[in-house]
Amino acid sequence: MPTLRHLLEPAAQRPRAFYRGNDVYDAANVGFAWETPEIGSVKFHRYDTQADGNSNAGHEGAAYGTNLPAADKAALLEHLKTF
């Protein structure tokens, strides 16, 4: 997943495809810019989670934070930014 915020969401709510290889940091979501195929003249690789071997399912449930209320997810992300 392109950001930590995405990891805290259930698989059904995670992006089906995103661009990776970017070095533009997304401080709000703790990860990298992921929605654009290029910035300037630099092009990035499209990662399709529907392709064989590229699942975005990951782990879900209480142990992984996917069922936390939105406010708790936001607080967790803010805490992780302090490291």
Side-chain angles (χ1 to χ4, degrees):
M1 291 291 84
T3 70
L4 289 179
R5 183 173 303 277
H6 290 108
L7 287 175
L8 292 175
E9 298 302 330
Q13 296 175 11
R14 295 175 185 161
R16 298 243 185 253
F18 55 92
Y19 293 92
R20 61 185 195 164
N22 199 333
D23 64 354
V24 177
Y25 186 63
D26 178 353
N29 296 306
V30 191
F32 293 96
W34 60 278
E35 294 183 277
T36 181
E38 60 184 80
I39 294 178
S41 63
V42 179
K43 297 190 185 319
F44 302 101
H45 173 73
R46 183 175 186 271
Y47 191 87
D48 183 356
T49 64
Q50 302 301 297
D52 289 341
N54 288 355
S55 173
N56 69 346
H59 302 292
E60 293 189 30
Y64 301 101
T66 57
N67 60 350
L68 289 172
D72 289 350
K73 289 178 184 180
L76 177 58
L77 287 175
E78 289 305 313
H79 175 72
L80 290 172
K81 291 177 188 179
T82 66
F83 289 94

